[in-house]
Amino acid sequence: MSADVPTEQTHACCAPARGEERAAEGPVPVAEAAAAAPPHGGWREPAGGTFLMGTADGPYPEDGEGPVREVALSPFEIAATAVTNAEFAAFVEGTGYATDAERYGWSFVFAGFLPRRFPPTRGAAGAPWWRQVHGADWRHPEGPGSGLRGRRDHPVVHVSHDDALAYCRWAGTRLPTEAEWEYAARGGLSGRPYPWGDEREPGGEHRMNVWQGEFPERNTAADGYTGTCPVDAFPPNGYGLYNTTGNVWEWCADWFNPRYHRKGPWTDPTGPRYGQSRVLKGGSHMCHESYCFRYRTSARMGNSPDSSSGNTGFRVAR
């Protein structure tokens, strides 16, 4: 029987935490690029202003989605898509950067993507479908023997918050704050759970990449994908952003705290000054309403900055 990797999160099924293990070296310093290329799909420029953030009826009170509050934001720019494998490859080729998954030597992979006779490695506490796979990293999403063929335009995964910050330093960008991310993800709609409205599949049309069927035994792939999909696979929201729900969790700049936002500030909020976990938004292709109804614009969770998994990526802002 596999041992369990301790996690900080109650819902490790969503994006598992690495635990107490630490890499031998600290994060690799990366200089800012002289002239970074524009992001895949270009920049979007929400005008800023006020919006209603959060929800009053989130299914997981411990996540701290509520209360609903009016948040004011200054204008900013945000990438239309998550960072792709091709973009991350350019960063690594230009800097020689090694991700946390590479330095630790392992990352979390969904068991359903592994060979039937895969060795019984450790699983995440409370979520045995997450398996510790040695050699899994952004180049090898399912571990040794897997690769990026046909996935250059898919979101990079197995990247930690620290890795995302290193990429941002090189690209001359930054991670969006949680408030910026949610404002942009809503696409101008107020109080709606999805970037397009109230119904998950309006008129029977799939609008995002999430688990279809019975988790974790059977994924029908009715939306067209069993794993990640291209970063622009589904129609954009009202602000021109793609896949802000489903596909991959996206790191934000804020430290995670389920209660901090109850007291503000609510003008250009940046979250707590310190913490143990960073905010993740948007859900992933592994989310299913039976256990992780987090493929919504207000949904949130936290994870340790050095954690990585096959369903976690990021997009940039400036």
Side-chain angles (χ1 to χ4, degrees):
M1 181 178 295
S2 62
D4 285 342
V5 176
T7 69
E8 292 184 356
Q9 301 304 317
T10 302
H11 299 281
C13 50
C14 299
R18 193 173 291 280
E20 299 301 323
E21 184 179 347
R22 292 292 178 262
E25 305 174 3
V28 179
V30 175
E32 184 174 316
H40 181 99
W43 292 103
R44 300 295 183 263
E45 302 179 25
T50 60
F51 80 108
L52 296 179
M53 184 173 179
T55 183
D57 56 356
Y60 309 112
E62 66 274 20
D63 287 357
E65 292 185 49
V68 176
R69 60 274 188 199
E70 186 176 79
V71 173
L73 291 175
S74 301
F76 64 99
E77 293 179 287
I78 189 167
T81 71
V83 173
T84 66
N85 284 311
E87 290 177 297
F88 202 78
F91 158 60
V92 171
E93 290 166 6
T95 63
Y97 182 80
T99 62
D100 277 331
E102 291 169 294
R103 294 187 300 114
Y104 280 103
W106 65 273
S107 189
F108 282 110
V109 176
F110 174 57
F113 295 153
L114 300 176
R116 184 168 298 179
R117 295 184 179 181
F118 192 81
T121 54
R122 293 185 294 171
W129 45 84
W130 282 117
R131 298 282 292 281
Q132 182 188 37
V133 176
H134 293 276
D137 54 47
W138 72 274
R139 289 189 183 91
H140 310 96
E142 291 79 53
S146 65
L148 301 180
R149 184 176 181 180
R151 291 191 275 192
R152 298 277 291 175
D153 61 348
H154 285 222
V156 64
V157 293
H158 294 294
V159 286
S160 68
H161 191 273
D162 294 334
D163 299 331
L165 291 181
Y167 178 93
C168 288
R169 286 193 293 272
W170 171 78
T173 59
R174 62 177 175 82
L175 290 176
T177 66
E178 181 181 7
E180 289 173 337
W181 190 99
E182 185 169 326
Y183 175 72
R186 289 181 176 276
L189 299 183
S190 179
R192 302 292 188 265
Y194 306 116
W196 52 86
D198 291 320
E199 297 183 34
R200 189 182 70 182
E201 295 158 13
E205 179 187 0
H206 292 281
R207 296 289 187 92
M208 61 179 164
N209 177 19
V210 293
W211 189 280
Q212 307 285 325
E214 299 176 3
F215 187 87
E217 291 82 13
R218 185 176 67 96
N219 186 350
T220 66
D223 54 24
Y225 304 94
T226 55
T228 60
C229 67
V231 294
D232 52 3
F234 295 89
N237 69 9
Y239 288 155
L241 274 70
Y242 295 86
N243 292 344
T244 54
T245 53
N247 211 23
V248 293
W249 283 100
E250 297 183 13
W251 289 110
C252 292
D254 305 37
W255 289 106
F256 178 86
N257 185 304
R259 295 173 296 278
Y260 172 83
H261 57 276
R262 293 178 180 271
K263 297 182 179 180
W266 294 345
T267 298
D268 290 324
T270 56
R273 294 179 58 187
Y274 56 86
Q276 294 183 322
S277 299
R278 295 285 189 175
V279 171
L280 287 160
K281 296 283 282 185
S284 80
H285 63 88
M286 286 185 59
C287 285
H288 187 275
E289 62 184 353
S290 66
Y291 83 99
C292 182
F293 185 32
R294 291 185 176 85
Y295 44 82
R296 298 168 291 105
T297 52
S298 62
R300 64 198 302 262
M301 65 171 290
N303 208 349
S304 56
D306 64 349
S307 292
S308 62
S309 62
N311 67 338
T312 302
F314 66 102
R315 77 177 67 211
V316 298
R318 67 179 185 183

